[in-house]
Every structure is written in C-alpha cells, then in structure tokens.
Amino acid sequence: MALWRGSAYAGFLALAVGCVFLLEPELPGSALRSLWSSLCLGPRLPPGPVPEGRLAAAWDALIVRPVRRWRRVAVGVNACVDVVLSGVKLLQALGLSPGNGKDHSVLHSRNDLEEAFIHFMGKGAAAERFFSDKETFHDIAQVASEFPGAQHYVGGNAALIGQKFAANSDLKIHYFWWARWLMPVIAALWKAKMGRSLEVLLCGPVGPKLHELLDDNVFVPPESLQEVDEFHLILEYQAGRWGQLKAPHANRFIFSHDLSNGAMNMLEVFVSSLEEFQPDLVVLSGLHMMEGQSKELQRKRLLEVVTSISDIPTGIPVHLELASMTNRELMSSIVHQQVFPAVTSLGLNEQELLFLTQSASGPHSSLSSWNGVPDVGMVSDILFWILKEHGRSKSRASDLTRIHFHTLVYHILATVDGHWANQLAAVAAGARVAGTQACATETIDTSRVSLRAPQEFMTSHSEAGSRIVLNPNKPVVEWHREGISFHFTPVLVCKDPIRTVGLGDAISAEGLFYSEVHPHY
C-alpha cells in the first residue's frame, strides 16, 4: 500500500511539473532541473572518481537552455555531399605510397594530393584544398565513392550547421522509472501546444542525394535545388603509423572540385529568402570556398557579401563560420574589407586562427605553426586583438561581439561585455558535443574519452595574465580583459573517434543553440 501511495504521489507530482512546463515554457532550465531532481527517488550516485567523470557531471549541471531561444535559424551558403573514407586506403587504391609531405595551396595532380595529405597527416591537422583538374578529380571521386566502406553524409558547413540545429529542435524529455507512463503524455501535450520549437532554412547547392540526406525539418527553397550534387572527398586518418609516417592525432583532409560553392552561387537566393523566412539568427559560411576563384571574382563576391549582410535587418545576429584557408590575401580581405565588422559572431579552429593573425599581422603572427596543443595564452591574445581591433566599441561601428574558438583539447568563447548571455553553458555544450559526436554516443562515455587539456596555463602572453589551474569539478574558467570576457573549458577527447568530419560545425551550432543575445542588440 505504501509503495502504491508513493508511486501515486510521484505521478501526481510529475503531472504538476508537466503542467508548469506547458504553462510556463520559458521557465529557466535550471529551475526545471532542480524541480525534477527533487522528485528523483532512490539514492543519488556520486560521479566517478576519474576526472573525466567529474568533468562530464559538472558540464551536465552547467548546461541550461537560455530563456530567450532561437525560433527561426537561416543558414547558407555552402552545401554538398561528403564522401567519407580512409585516406590511407584511398591513396593505396590509387597506387600512392607514403613519401615526403609538402603543402599545396591548390591541388593539381595525384602527386599533389599525396604530398598534401602526408604533410597534414604528419601534423595531425585538419585541412581543406581545392582540386583544379576536373577530370582527375572526377576519376578519384569515382574510386572513392565505390570504395568498400565509403559513406555518404551531409556536407558543407551551412548544411551541417543546419542539420545540427534541426536535430536540436526536437523536444527531449528524460524518463524516470516511476513515471514512464506519464511522460509521453506530457511530451505529446507540449508538442501539440507549441509544435517544433525551431525552424531551419538552408540555402545552398542542394542536389538529389543531399536532399535525401537532410533532416525532414530542414526547409530548402526551390531555387536552391539543382540536378547534380557537389561532392567533397573526406580522407580520414587515425592516430598511428603509415609506413614511416606517424599521425599524432586522428583528423581529416578534405578536397573537392566544387564550382557552385566556390562561386557562392546561392548567396543571392539566401538573402532574398530571408525576408519571407524572417529569421532571428543567420549563419553564413563558405567564404573559404572562393580560394579556387580569380582574385577579381574574390574581391567582387566579398563586396557582395558585405552588401548582402548589410541588408539583413538590424538586430538579427549573423554568425560567420570560417574554415581552412591558404590564400592570405583572401583572408586579409575578409578581415579588412568590412566582413568582420558586418558579422556578429565568428567560429574558427586553431589553424584558421593562426592563419588569420598571420594574414592580418596580429599577435604572435611570427609563429609558423602551433607546437602541439595551441598555447591558451597566445590564443587568448589573438582573440582579444580581433575583438579590440575589429569588434564593437564606442568608437567603432562594428557588430562583431563574439568568437567561438575550438581546438582538439579545449574551447574558448570570447565576448564583448553586455551583448551575450548564457555563454558558460554555450562553451560547455560545445565541448560536450565534441566528445559525444566523435565517439558516436548519446552521452559522454568516460571509458572512451580522455582529458588532455593543459592542467595549468597563463591567460595571456602579451600582458601579465593570470595563472589558471584546471579543476574538473569546475570545468569552465572565466576571466576578463578590458571589457571582454573569456570562457574556457577542456574537451573530453574521444580515444577512438568514429568520425571527425563536421565536428567544428557541430561545436559552433551547439554553442549558438545555447547562446542568448541581449534584446537591445
């Protein structure tokens, strides 16, 4: 009798919480979490003794959804089909063997492909290159597509970010053993009342294969549909040896002969679609694809990008996702020709950050490459410089107020004070998804990840920074510098990653999903 009474009380309490959730959809996630936690019956198990377990548990407590959430997100303009396979096996199938590595800004032959792949595999670094010879590329692409084990995925930064937002738009409710019969009812009532909480628009060159792969809740305007897909070849490699070559980290090398994305053909379609869609967040990517174009076309398209962004109504944040580049003049133009001041937020990794500061003569620009894990103090100095030199201030008409930096073992979110909220949760969510997506798990599996972030670091090398000692129980570290806030968190690195492609896009999308822009923006 007592057991029945306890279950009945729990059921009624769950129903009450469900009603509160329906009537007050904007109730902060922390309040809901506390309410649910108070209803949990049975003893609570403490997090495991390993630092990975303590860190994952701390993240879960910190990651709460913002009060003001995105309802309509528009993403553009690069999209393609990714053909993912082992880089070593493809090169072997092409009759290539490990030799001397050498970087090539543009690939013209199979030999260039071999040298560039070996160059970046030896560094354990990600890279993306344009393949200039159409016929040779199509021959290689055919071998890759038909290779045993090759997989086809949604590709292109815009499409991947849109796909991630669409995945996040589903209502997810955790089921407790004593209320399994009741929670589906609450979920059904919520969905009937509110529908899907997030709509996603994708503009890019979408062919039949890509359209088939996209989430059903990603809307593609008819003008974006085309008869033929753009294919990108993703050559993945694991940490380990190939002959005398040793890769320190698992990563990937991307190459394509992509003309639609290279010319940003869908830019105008993207901008014209915004008026009808009326997004509250715009995500732009694909500028790096212009590297295969002439300088004249690059300059023309960048001016058109700036003009297009300026047509977006004031108050709608615009996030720019950068990607691997080799053309310093193009990167310098992106920084200086009003692209940075026109966008609100940036997403980039360690290779892109270093290339940016080298191209624009920023801090630590004499550094030719990162020596292992990027130094936190140096990264912090470059992020500070970008926001101070090109971000919003009282004396500068710029919209740039946020940068999300991600590298293999840690992430940093840098924001101009007064413009963004919930960034502690955002940086933690971005780091968490890096561990789950790489390992292809729903939650962090502590047996499959490792904590490789520096245990202590300085927050700056340009000035007298603070010394930080990492504490897995408090994994997000915050510091401030002249009106700019930094949020740092380590990443739980997957020991045996299933797939590395699209991690950066998933990280940026997750960070944006949990971010909140202030109403006065």
PDB file of all heavy atoms in Angstrom, residues 162-170 172 196 215:
ATOM      1  N   GLY A 162      22.966  23.573 -40.193  1.00  0.00           N
ATOM      2  CA  GLY A 162      21.511  23.481 -40.267  1.00  0.00           C
ATOM      3  C   GLY A 162      21.005  22.139 -39.768  1.00  0.00           C
ATOM      4  O   GLY A 162      19.999  22.065 -39.056  1.00  0.00           O
ATOM      5  N   GLN A 163      21.703  21.073 -40.136  1.00  0.00           N
ATOM      6  CA  GLN A 163      21.326  19.724 -39.705  1.00  0.00           C
ATOM      7  C   GLN A 163      21.405  19.604 -38.186  1.00  0.00           C
ATOM      8  O   GLN A 163      20.545  18.976 -37.549  1.00  0.00           O
ATOM      9  CB  GLN A 163      22.267  18.716 -40.373  1.00  0.00           C
ATOM     10  CG  GLN A 163      21.851  17.269 -40.244  1.00  0.00           C
ATOM     11  CD  GLN A 163      20.899  16.824 -41.350  1.00  0.00           C
ATOM     12  OE1 GLN A 163      20.108  17.624 -41.838  1.00  0.00           O
ATOM     13  NE2 GLN A 163      20.952  15.573 -41.718  1.00  0.00           N
ATOM     14  N   LYS A 164      22.431  20.199 -37.581  1.00  0.00           N
ATOM     15  CA  LYS A 164      22.593  20.126 -36.127  1.00  0.00           C
ATOM     16  C   LYS A 164      21.495  20.905 -35.419  1.00  0.00           C
ATOM     17  O   LYS A 164      20.947  20.458 -34.405  1.00  0.00           O
ATOM     18  CB  LYS A 164      23.972  20.676 -35.728  1.00  0.00           C
ATOM     19  CG  LYS A 164      24.303  20.491 -34.245  1.00  0.00           C
ATOM     20  CD  LYS A 164      24.348  19.024 -33.881  1.00  0.00           C
ATOM     21  CE  LYS A 164      24.682  18.823 -32.411  1.00  0.00           C
ATOM     22  NZ  LYS A 164      24.651  17.402 -32.028  1.00  0.00           N
ATOM     23  N   PHE A 165      21.166  22.093 -35.928  1.00  0.00           N
ATOM     24  CA  PHE A 165      20.072  22.864 -35.334  1.00  0.00           C
ATOM     25  C   PHE A 165      18.764  22.093 -35.433  1.00  0.00           C
ATOM     26  O   PHE A 165      17.965  22.082 -34.492  1.00  0.00           O
ATOM     27  CB  PHE A 165      19.936  24.221 -36.031  1.00  0.00           C
ATOM     28  CG  PHE A 165      20.719  25.317 -35.377  1.00  0.00           C
ATOM     29  CD1 PHE A 165      21.840  25.849 -35.983  1.00  0.00           C
ATOM     30  CD2 PHE A 165      20.333  25.845 -34.156  1.00  0.00           C
ATOM     31  CE1 PHE A 165      22.569  26.870 -35.394  1.00  0.00           C
ATOM     32  CE2 PHE A 165      21.045  26.858 -33.547  1.00  0.00           C
ATOM     33  CZ  PHE A 165      22.172  27.373 -34.157  1.00  0.00           C
ATOM     34  N   ALA A 166      18.505  21.462 -36.586  1.00  0.00           N
ATOM     35  CA  ALA A 166      17.271  20.694 -36.762  1.00  0.00           C
ATOM     36  C   ALA A 166      17.203  19.543 -35.762  1.00  0.00           C
ATOM     37  O   ALA A 166      16.137  19.234 -35.223  1.00  0.00           O
ATOM     38  CB  ALA A 166      17.181  20.165 -38.190  1.00  0.00           C
ATOM     39  N   ALA A 167      18.333  18.900 -35.506  1.00  0.00           N
ATOM     40  CA  ALA A 167      18.367  17.797 -34.541  1.00  0.00           C
ATOM     41  C   ALA A 167      18.062  18.298 -33.136  1.00  0.00           C
ATOM     42  O   ALA A 167      17.423  17.604 -32.337  1.00  0.00           O
ATOM     43  CB  ALA A 167      19.728  17.110 -34.563  1.00  0.00           C
ATOM     44  N   ASN A 168      18.489  19.502 -32.823  1.00  0.00           N
ATOM     45  CA  ASN A 168      18.248  20.081 -31.505  1.00  0.00           C
ATOM     46  C   ASN A 168      16.818  20.553 -31.319  1.00  0.00           C
ATOM     47  O   ASN A 168      16.391  20.829 -30.202  1.00  0.00           O
ATOM     48  CB  ASN A 168      19.188  21.262 -31.248  1.00  0.00           C
ATOM     49  CG  ASN A 168      20.485  20.831 -30.588  1.00  0.00           C
ATOM     50  OD1 ASN A 168      20.528  19.812 -29.925  1.00  0.00           O
ATOM     51  ND2 ASN A 168      21.531  21.602 -30.793  1.00  0.00           N
ATOM     52  N   SER A 169      16.065  20.691 -32.422  1.00  0.00           N
ATOM     53  CA  SER A 169      14.728  21.278 -32.320  1.00  0.00           C
ATOM     54  C   SER A 169      13.699  20.302 -31.768  1.00  0.00           C
ATOM     55  O   SER A 169      12.592  20.689 -31.421  1.00  0.00           O
ATOM     56  CB  SER A 169      14.265  21.774 -33.694  1.00  0.00           C
ATOM     57  OG  SER A 169      14.118  20.696 -34.598  1.00  0.00           O
ATOM     58  N   ASP A 170      14.024  19.010 -31.696  1.00  0.00           N
ATOM     59  CA  ASP A 170      13.094  18.046 -31.115  1.00  0.00           C
ATOM     60  C   ASP A 170      13.069  18.175 -29.603  1.00  0.00           C
ATOM     61  O   ASP A 170      14.094  18.378 -28.961  1.00  0.00           O
ATOM     62  CB  ASP A 170      13.505  16.613 -31.463  1.00  0.00           C
ATOM     63  CG  ASP A 170      13.159  16.258 -32.893  1.00  0.00           C
ATOM     64  OD1 ASP A 170      12.068  16.652 -33.343  1.00  0.00           O
ATOM     65  OD2 ASP A 170      13.975  15.595 -33.556  1.00  0.00           O
ATOM     66  N   LYS A 172      13.219  16.855 -26.076  1.00  0.00           N
ATOM     67  CA  LYS A 172      13.804  15.660 -25.459  1.00  0.00           C
ATOM     68  C   LYS A 172      13.489  15.684 -23.973  1.00  0.00           C
ATOM     69  O   LYS A 172      13.800  16.637 -23.266  1.00  0.00           O
ATOM     70  CB  LYS A 172      15.323  15.623 -25.674  1.00  0.00           C
ATOM     71  CG  LYS A 172      15.729  15.484 -27.132  1.00  0.00           C
ATOM     72  CD  LYS A 172      17.226  15.445 -27.255  1.00  0.00           C
ATOM     73  CE  LYS A 172      17.647  15.236 -28.695  1.00  0.00           C
ATOM     74  NZ  LYS A 172      17.302  16.378 -29.547  1.00  0.00           N
ATOM     75  N   ARG A 196       7.045  22.301 -33.197  1.00  0.00           N
ATOM     76  CA  ARG A 196       8.504  22.292 -33.121  1.00  0.00           C
ATOM     77  C   ARG A 196       8.977  23.659 -32.696  1.00  0.00           C
ATOM     78  O   ARG A 196       8.487  24.677 -33.150  1.00  0.00           O
ATOM     79  CB  ARG A 196       9.096  21.914 -34.478  1.00  0.00           C
ATOM     80  CG  ARG A 196       8.763  20.478 -34.880  1.00  0.00           C
ATOM     81  CD  ARG A 196       9.414  20.143 -36.196  1.00  0.00           C
ATOM     82  NE  ARG A 196      10.867  20.132 -36.055  1.00  0.00           N
ATOM     83  CZ  ARG A 196      11.561  19.079 -35.678  1.00  0.00           C
ATOM     84  NH1 ARG A 196      10.958  17.964 -35.383  1.00  0.00           N
ATOM     85  NH2 ARG A 196      12.880  19.140 -35.599  1.00  0.00           N
ATOM     86  N   ASP A 215      17.749  16.355 -42.851  1.00  0.00           N
ATOM     87  CA  ASP A 215      16.667  16.202 -41.894  1.00  0.00           C
ATOM     88  C   ASP A 215      15.363  16.711 -42.513  1.00  0.00           C
ATOM     89  O   ASP A 215      15.354  17.707 -43.242  1.00  0.00           O
ATOM     90  CB  ASP A 215      16.996  17.010 -40.623  1.00  0.00           C
ATOM     91  CG  ASP A 215      16.012  16.744 -39.494  1.00  0.00           C
ATOM     92  OD1 ASP A 215      14.851  17.173 -39.608  1.00  0.00           O
ATOM     93  OD2 ASP A 215      16.418  16.130 -38.487  1.00  0.00           O
TER      94      ASP A 215
END
